[in-house]
Structures are given as C-alpha cells and as structure tokens.
Amino acid sequence: MKSVKNYVYTERAHFMCPNMHFGIMAKIENNYDEGQLKQSIDTLQKAHPFLQSLIAAETDTGRFYYQIQDYLNIPVMVKEDAFLWQQDYEEISVRGWNVMNECLLKVVVYPKKNEFQILFIAHHLLCDGRGLLQLAEEFAEHYANGVIPQFAPERLIQCLNDLPSNSDLPLISKLIIGDANRRWKKEGQQVMYEEYSAFEKAYIQKHKMKREIFTVCNQELEEILILCKQKSVTVNDWLIAKMMLEENTNKVVIAADIRNQAKCYKQGAMGNYSTAFSVSVKKNEENVITLAKRVASQVINICQHPQKEMLVLACYIHMLPELIDAVTISTLGDFGSKVGTFIGRNMFGYGSQNGYSITNLGKIESNIIAEAVFIPPASPANKKTWGVLTVNSHMKICVSNLIAER
C-alpha cells in the first residue's frame, strides 16, 4: 500500500532518545468484554494513520518517514493483577522499541468482573501526552457508547512556517547551530538505527526508573483551585513552585501544548504538538504562592514571545536531522562524535542529567473513565519528572526518578 511519505522533522530528537515513551493507565467503569475491547482498539486505529504506520528510512538519504501498512497489529496483552502495572510497564520499556517493525502503541488490559483497567503505552513518534489522553478518551467513548472517533489526517510540524510568526532563532543560536551543522558534515559520520537500538536497550537496562503515584483529591484539590484563583495563578504555576520547593531547584522545564498555535495541526490528529521551555526563579522565600506568582509572570512573558516559547522546536528545525540522531548516543553512549557530544552536553542537558520537568495534561470529567494516571516520558536529561493528570476532581501526580545502576 503506497502512501505519501510523512517525514519526521521536529520529532526526530525523540526518535533518538531512550525512554521517550510514556503511558496512561485508566480505570474503565464498564463490564469487560474481550470482543468489544478488540473492536474499540480496531476502530481507534482506523481513525489515526500513525496507528497504522511504521517508521521507514530512505536508503539513499537516510531520512525517516511514517509508512502506512496494509495490516499492522496493535499488541494487546491481557494481565491479571492491576497492582503490577508498573512492573508490566517496566518490562515493556526494558525490551526497547523498534519503530521499524512495531506499532507505535502498545496496550495492556487488566479485566475484572464489573470494570477493567487499561494501560496505553505510546512511543513519542505517535503523539504527545495530550494526544495519548485523547486516544484514551476516544477508546472509552467507543467502548461504552459506540461513539466512533472522527478520522484525523496528520501533518507534522515541518518548517518554521508551521509555527507562529517570529518563532525563528535569535542570531547567536543560529550561528551556534550553523557551526555545529558544518562540523557534523566535516565529521562525515552517520548513526545507523540498529546501532542506536542496541544503545537504547543497554541504556534502559542500566538506568532503572522508580515511580511513585500521589493523589490530590476532593477537598484538598478544591482548596488549591480556590487559592490559585484568588491569587491569580494557574494550577500549573502552583505545581512548578511546589516542585521547586520540594526538590530545592531554581529551574523546572515544562511542556506546553501548541495545538492552537501550530498552523499545520488538524483537529484530533496524532503527532507531537508540544514545545518545552524552562522556568528559572531564584527562591528567596519558602511560600508556594509567592513563588507561583513569580513563576506565572515568567511563563506569561515566555508565552507572549514565540521566539522564547518555540525555541526548542526552532532548534530542531535548523539542526541537521542526522546530527540530532547522533546527540544522545554520542553523549551517553560510545559513538565518537565531538559535535554530537557538544550539543548533547550544552543544549540537551545530557551533561549533568540533573534536570527537573513537569508535564500537566490538565483535567477531564468522565462517567466512563473513573480515574487515570499519566506516566511521563523519562528524558535522560532529567533527574526527576512529574506527570500530572486530573480526572473527576482527582489529581494524580506520577513522580518518575531516573536511577543509574552503580
């Protein structure tokens, strides 16, 4: 089956980065039916071309693209004990992910008599966190009510024209990346996917993840919401300030949804439509609201200036894709690229691996999904990552710690 080649551009960095998969574990308050579940998974797949695709590479250029398959199975594993879902998630993580012959989504189901839990694990080339939440909601609506998700054609961010006006890099950044591109061409190297895949598996096996789930619910969450509204800060501002205080850090990287800003985005499409930027605030006080106000001021400033908000995406667009391929394996593996190591240490944060990050997927109300937790991607740049999702007034924070074996 031939299809238009949907080339990988800004997402390329996630392609060459260990642990860049993530998940949503959702409790479905409906009777479990194996046939009905399979039908809902199949219906979901038909609505999203990337769920029907593998990643392929051109032999002459090495460029990667999504290739729709005549038939591609979304693996669904049935397990008995939902309390062991983290162990199951880890087992899937350790096996690695060959996107050239595996679907970009994997599913684990935990049946019970009057309900079941379902774990969606997605590669970052399929979607971002908000895209995976959309898939979980679409699955639930079809399973419970027969609602068929609308077909959503996908077109990725490919160039600066897909971003808001004035998103291009400042001159100094252009010069640095231009020099790095020239140095990469001079090195004359290329990372083969098989070589990266072996590195990825070895890295994941040596760098284990520890995850803890914390729940903020009902009265406690309501008090936080009221306080944030009174003080004119968002819950996200409050979360950033809370992390800064708890982890004794001045800097937190946050993921920001840009669906309403990306000119290429089609409603309901998969793909990566998020950017990331850091918030740095010196903690002169220990009051979370006072700190949240300073965080809010900085976030507003960044979001009002596309050059700041879209900086990471503009970097990806300007950088040679083949160089991005080499960054992680050069910095954390044994691939011998000096410029790859330079970029990894100085721009991607792989030198110190001491970052802190939050991705908050926001809140939903559902009479089908009783509760859910978002398992965030674990970038090698981060020491700790929070994944936040609020369902039916229950906020769950999944705290992921990267632990290297000694």
Side-chain angles (χ1 to χ4, degrees):
M1 179 178 181
K2 290 189 176 180
S3 61
V4 176
K5 291 180 179 179
N6 206 332
Y7 287 100
V8 180
Y9 288 88
T10 59
E11 286 85 349
R12 189 66 161 274
H14 299 305
F15 183 49
M16 309 305 280
C17 184
N19 273 321
M20 289 311 283
H21 52 273
F22 52 96
I24 286 180
M25 178 74 167
K27 180 179 179 181
I28 308 295
E29 289 196 325
N30 275 79
N31 293 334
Y32 175 74
D33 182 280
E34 183 180 355
Q36 191 174 339
L37 182 131
K38 184 180 185 305
Q39 185 182 25
S40 293
I41 294 292
D42 291 345
T43 302
L44 203 64
Q45 187 174 27
K46 290 174 184 175
H48 299 288
F50 286 178
L51 281 176
Q52 307 163 38
S53 299
L54 296 176
I55 303 299
E58 291 180 335
T59 54
D60 52 346
T61 67
R63 296 173 68 192
F64 292 102
Y65 59 94
Y66 296 80
Q67 186 174 55
I68 292 178
Q69 306 297 301
D70 288 321
Y71 178 77
L72 181 64
N73 179 49
I74 295 178
V76 178
M77 292 157 275
V78 180
K79 300 274 188 171
E80 292 184 0
D81 194 347
F83 288 105
L84 298 179
W85 71 264
Q86 290 197 61
Q87 178 180 308
D88 298 331
Y89 184 91
E90 194 62 35
E91 286 177 1
I92 291 171
S93 300
V94 168
R95 285 201 296 269
W97 207 307
N98 190 331
V99 296
M100 293 184 172
N101 55 36
E102 291 182 275
C103 181
L104 298 173
L105 179 70
K106 299 177 182 180
V107 179
V108 185
V109 183
Y110 303 89
K112 288 181 71 175
K113 186 175 181 181
N114 299 317
E115 63 185 35
F116 64 93
Q117 298 206 48
I118 187 164
L119 173 60
F120 295 91
I121 308 175
H123 193 283
H124 227 313
L125 282 166
L126 173 64
C127 57
D128 53 29
R130 290 165 185 85
L132 188 58
L133 177 59
Q134 173 194 315
L135 285 181
E137 290 185 279
E138 287 178 346
F139 165 83
E141 284 293 340
H142 184 271
Y143 185 90
N145 301 321
V147 178
I148 298 175
Q150 186 174 352
F151 178 79
E154 290 138 359
R155 193 178 80 77
L156 299 170
I157 297 170
Q158 298 181 5
C159 61
L160 286 169
N161 289 337
D162 292 326
L163 300 178
S165 301
N166 303 315
S167 292
D168 203 357
L169 294 175
L171 179 59
I172 186 65
S173 297
K174 281 185 183 178
L175 293 174
I176 292 171
I177 291 179
D179 179 65
N181 286 340
R182 286 189 292 273
R183 288 165 59 192
W184 172 253
K185 286 181 179 178
K186 192 173 180 180
E187 286 186 355
Q189 301 192 82
Q190 183 178 353
V191 179
M192 304 307 293
Y193 181 68
E194 294 75 15
E195 184 177 12
Y196 167 75
S197 184
F199 153 74
E200 179 187 40
K201 288 182 180 179
Y203 183 90
I204 291 174
Q205 287 171 356
K206 290 179 181 178
H207 297 76
K208 304 297 184 183
M209 296 301 304
K210 178 184 176 184
R211 296 182 179 87
E212 295 179 278
I213 313 295
F214 299 94
T215 303
V216 182
C217 57
N218 297 337
Q219 186 176 347
E220 184 182 0
L221 181 58
E222 185 63 27
E223 289 173 357
I224 292 169
L225 293 171
I226 291 171
L227 184 61
C228 288
K229 187 174 182 179
Q230 288 175 344
K231 302 299 181 180
S232 300
V233 298
T234 67
V235 173
N236 220 43
D237 300 326
W238 182 87
L239 285 165
I240 296 167
K242 181 178 172 64
M243 184 180 222
M244 286 180 169
L245 292 174
E246 289 188 3
E247 304 300 335
N248 192 28
T249 180
N250 295 329
K251 181 178 178 181
V252 172
V253 174
I254 64 173
D257 184 14
I258 60 166
R259 280 166 173 71
N260 62 341
Q261 296 169 270
K263 300 170 187 174
C264 58
Y265 175 69
K266 303 296 183 184
Q267 183 67 35
M270 294 294 101
N272 198 326
Y273 298 97
S274 64
T275 187
F277 55 84
S278 63
V279 178
S280 300
V281 179
K282 289 185 178 180
K283 305 187 306 300
N284 297 323
E285 67 286 305
E286 296 300 316
N287 183 290
V288 66
I289 287 296
T290 305
L291 188 58
K293 284 186 174 182
R294 295 172 63 197
V295 166
S297 177
Q298 191 169 138
V299 170
I300 290 169
N301 178 268
I302 291 170
C303 293
Q304 286 176 342
H305 296 86
Q307 191 176 67
K308 296 178 181 179
E309 186 181 15
M310 306 294 166
L311 180 65
V312 64
L313 298 181
C315 279
Y316 292 159
I317 289 169
H318 276 279
M319 199 176 295
L320 288 172
E322 297 78 15
L323 171 56
I324 300 178
D325 288 348
V327 167
T328 309
I329 194 171
S330 298
T331 315
L332 304 176
D334 55 7
F335 188 81
S337 170
K338 290 183 178 179
V339 65
T341 302
F342 171 82
I343 295 294
R345 287 179 177 171
N346 295 286
M347 296 182 68
F348 281 54
Y350 295 159
S352 62
Q353 294 183 268
N354 197 35
Y356 294 87
S357 176
I358 291 179
T359 299
N360 179 11
L361 300 188
K363 63 179 180 178
I364 64 167
E365 296 291 328
S366 175
N367 57 5
I368 309 162
I369 300 175
E371 57 185 57
V373 60
F374 169 55
I375 308 127
S379 168
N382 292 333
K383 180 179 180 180
K384 187 170 288 188
T385 305
W386 287 10
V388 185
L389 175 58
T390 303
V391 178
N392 301 329
S393 299
H394 283 65
M395 174 190 284
K396 290 189 180 290
I397 303 174
C398 177
V399 179
S400 297
N401 292 278
L402 186 62
I403 304 172
E405 286 187 355
R406 302 216 181 257

